[in-house]
């Protein structure tokens, strides 16, 4: 009698080979496609030999028909058709057959704990004894189904089969269950993770979050030069991986290391390391308990994922901005030294506090004004012409903020990777600013001895860093609410494309009066960044005129005394 678990494994292999073949065809990688088709044909033959007892002749006949169509398309070099045959006919057939097999299997099928622990013990790894001890204690505790540990695991961690025959993990957090891996094909998902975050010039990676290991395998398989350290804070997740997943590939790979860090303590060293890249498994992050570690990881994840998502866009913007051949912003550095600077952001207080700011400017005409591109058009309509307009966002839609505005005495300060379209349409003098964290920008700055700015992730955080580095005497900010007072996201009935997006539910923080106010995770991360940036600055006075978030280190005021 055919072992259904073995048949499921064969179908899993066929699914993954087919998925990879389709991708290689679409990429026009025909050498890899030929290799994939050879493996696919061989695996199909093995499948036929063991599936006859389970499936009727119609199944075999259909698969043979698809195989013949595939071979003809390959012979004719008709690769578009070949990809369609695989994607439209063969792959759905494999998933359908896998579903039929899985419906007759119970899960989880096997306990891999003992053999995985043996493999872990054989690894030459400094952390292995500690991890092994913690896992053995965990396994012993949950082996008794009546124990509190076993009941807690059963109630809060679910192991479920996926459509391709693998397993996924479901963890309970705040009365909700969150999946750690795709229910369709977690192996494919793991490869996509590796393709997204694995770089050509970095070979040392630390990954916060083990899950069931699919993304770890994806990284190790992507590049034979990669060395991967896995950090896991939840012994139940680590135990689930060791018990229900065959971790042979990870545990026998000399380039892989597993560490158990309860609550991710001592994570700071990984966040600041220059020799390796810290990657964050988002489902792991989502289910961490609230606290400083989760906040730090969340802020880091926002920055990292944004950088990876926008890498190509940043490169394109940098290239075209360099073609503008504008002066470096360093050429106006002396203008800011020992001066009072007012920064006008896009928050709700930009509207409600503007009259106060206008009176201040009339009393102190030598004060320098900088505004975010978001409010430039609106300020002009209210007879406020700022000295400088600042932009940092890379998105093409940013050009709408500056398009079709006649030239004024306002000058543009733009980040080297800011939207090249917005830079191009601005009418007036322009200055380029170079930032740290972007290799091409750092290289230009080093070659020319330009100032390198810390961006902090938003135009407002850049403005704070800019004013400090250029030696202002006093920085007054308005529209820096970093929250949603009266449920408003922006002043002047404006809106933005991305800055209210949140990776989790809205947060509640305190405003300058000690009352609760709603904010988003990105805005809250900017607040914390500003607090950290200004905490050691003793030569600059910081004043925030706001109805929004209280920012430690600033004088948070309703209005500016005149």
């Amino acid at each position: 009698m055919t072992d259904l678990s073995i048949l499921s494994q064969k179908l899993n292999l066929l699914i993954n080979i087919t998925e990879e073949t389709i991708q290689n065809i679409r990429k026009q990688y025909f050498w890899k496609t030929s290799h994939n088709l050879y493996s696919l044909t061989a695996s199909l033959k093995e499948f036929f030999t063991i599936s006859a007892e389970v499936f009727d002749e119609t199944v075999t006949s259909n698969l043979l028909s698809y195989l013949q169509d595939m071979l003809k398309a390959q012979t004719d070099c008709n690769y578009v058709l070949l990809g369609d045959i695989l994607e439209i006919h063969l792959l759905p057939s494999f998933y359908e057959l896998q579903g039929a097999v899985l419906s007759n299997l119970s899960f989880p099928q096997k306990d891999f704990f003992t053999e995985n622990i043996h493999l872990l013990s054989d690894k030459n790894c400094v952390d292995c004894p500690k991890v092994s001890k913690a896992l053995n204690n965990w396994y012993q505790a949950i082996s008794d189904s009546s124990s509190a540990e076993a009941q807690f695991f059963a109630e809060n961690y679910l192991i479920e089969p996926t459509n391709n025959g693998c397993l996924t993990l479901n963890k309970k957090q705040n009365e909700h269950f969150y999946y750690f891996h795709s229910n369709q094909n977690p192996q494919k998902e793991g490869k996509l993770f590796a393709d997204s975050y694995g770089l050509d010039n970095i070979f040392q990676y630390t990954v916060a979050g083990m899950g069931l290991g699919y993304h770890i395998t994806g990284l190790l398989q992507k590049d034979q030069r990669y060395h991967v350290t896995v950090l896991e804070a939840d012994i139940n997740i680590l135990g689930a991986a060791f018990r229900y997943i065959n971790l042979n590939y990870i545990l026998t790979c000399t380039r892989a290391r597993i560490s158990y860090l309860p609550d991710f303590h001592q994570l700071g060293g990984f966040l600041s390391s220059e020799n390796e890249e810290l990657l964050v498994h988002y489902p792991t992050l989502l289910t961490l308990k609230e606290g400083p570690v989760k906040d730090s990881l969340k802020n880091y994840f926002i920055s990292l994922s944004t950088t990876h998502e926008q890498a190509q866009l940043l490169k394109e913007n940098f290239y075209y901005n360099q073609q503008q051949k504008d002066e470096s912003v360093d050429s106006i550095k002396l203008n800011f030294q020992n001066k009072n600077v007012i920064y006008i952001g896009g928050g709700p207080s930009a509207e409600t506090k503007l009259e106060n700011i206008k009176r201040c400017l009339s009393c102190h005409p030598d004060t320098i004004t900088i505004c975010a591109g978001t409010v430039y058009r609106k300020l002009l309509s209210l007879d406020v012409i700022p000295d400088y307009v600042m932009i940092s966002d890379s998105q093409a839609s940013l050009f709408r903020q500056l398009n079709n505005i006649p030239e004024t005495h306002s000058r543009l300060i733009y980040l080297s990777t800011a939207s090249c379209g917005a830079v191009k349409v601005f009418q007036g003098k322009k200055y380029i600013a170079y930032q740290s964290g972007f290799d091409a920008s750092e290289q230009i700055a080093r070659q020319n001895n330009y100032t390198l700015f810390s961006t902090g992730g938003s135009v407002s955080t850049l403005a704070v860093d800019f004013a400090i580095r250029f030696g202002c005497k006093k920085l007054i900010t308005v529209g820096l609410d970093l929250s949603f007072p009266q449920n408003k996201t922006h002043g002047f009935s404006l809106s933005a494309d991305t800055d209210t997006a949140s990776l989790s539910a809205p947060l509640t923080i305190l405003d300058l009066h000690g009352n609760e106010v709603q904010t988003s995770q990105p805005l809250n991360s900017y607040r914390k960044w500003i607090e950290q940036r200004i905490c050691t600055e003793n030569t600059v006075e910081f004043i925030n005129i706001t109805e929004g978030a209280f920012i430690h280190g600033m004088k948070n005021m309703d209005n500016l005394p005149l």
Side-chain angles (χ1 to χ4, degrees), residues 456-483:
S458 76
V459 66
S460 294
T461 48
L462 172 63
V464 171
D465 187 72
F466 175 87
I468 292 172
R469 291 185 189 276
F470 273 20
C472 76
K473 178 182 179 181
K474 180 186 296 184
L475 175 61
I476 301 166
T477 59
V478 62
L480 192 65
D481 301 85
L482 302 177
S483 59

Side-chain angles (χ1 to χ4, degrees), residues 22 25-26 79-90:
I22 294 168
I25 289 173
R26 303 310 187 201
Y79 286 99
V80 173
L81 176 60
L82 176 59
D84 288 344
I85 293 169
L86 292 170
E87 191 167 19
I88 298 173
H89 298 295
L90 194 63

Side-chain angles (χ1 to χ4, degrees), residues 487-507:
N487 293 319
K488 293 182 179 180
T489 60
H490 293 80
F492 308 113
S493 299
L494 298 171
S495 63
D497 294 328
T498 59
D499 64 359
T500 60
S502 177
L503 294 173
S504 59
L507 303 175

Side-chain angles (χ1 to χ4, degrees), residues 336-350:
F336 292 83
Q337 290 187 355
N338 296 315
K339 293 289 185 67
N340 292 341
V341 175
I342 293 179
Y343 168 72
I344 305 173
S349 63

Side-chain angles (χ1 to χ4, degrees), residues 44-95:
L44 261 176
K45 291 179 180 178
E46 292 180 10
F47 174 77
F48 288 146
T49 62
I50 64 172
S51 64
E53 296 182 4
V54 179
F55 300 113
D56 58 34
E57 293 181 0
T58 303
V59 170
T60 303
S61 177
N62 287 338
L63 293 178
L64 284 172
S65 175
Y66 299 148
L67 181 60
Q68 290 172 356
D69 292 340
M70 289 161 43
L71 294 175
K72 185 178 186 306
Q74 184 184 19
T75 301
D76 295 340
C77 296
N78 194 346
Y79 286 99
V80 173
L81 176 60
L82 176 59
D84 288 344
I85 293 169
L86 292 170
E87 191 167 19
I88 298 173
H89 298 295
L90 194 63
L91 187 60
S93 296
F94 288 151
Y95 272 113

Side-chain angles (χ1 to χ4, degrees), residues 272-290:
S272 59
S273 175
E274 296 181 356
N275 299 320
E276 59 187 278
E277 184 92 340
L278 174 64
L279 305 180
V280 180
H281 185 232
Y282 180 63
T284 298
L285 169 63
L286 191 67
T287 56
L288 287 178
K289 68 179 183 181
E290 299 298 328

Side-chain angles (χ1 to χ4, degrees), residues 145-166:
S145 59
S146 63
S147 68
E149 292 84 355
Q151 292 177 12
F152 177 82
F153 182 81
E155 292 172 1
N156 293 278
Y157 300 84
L158 303 178
I159 301 295
E160 301 177 9
T162 66
N163 290 344
N164 80 329
C166 291

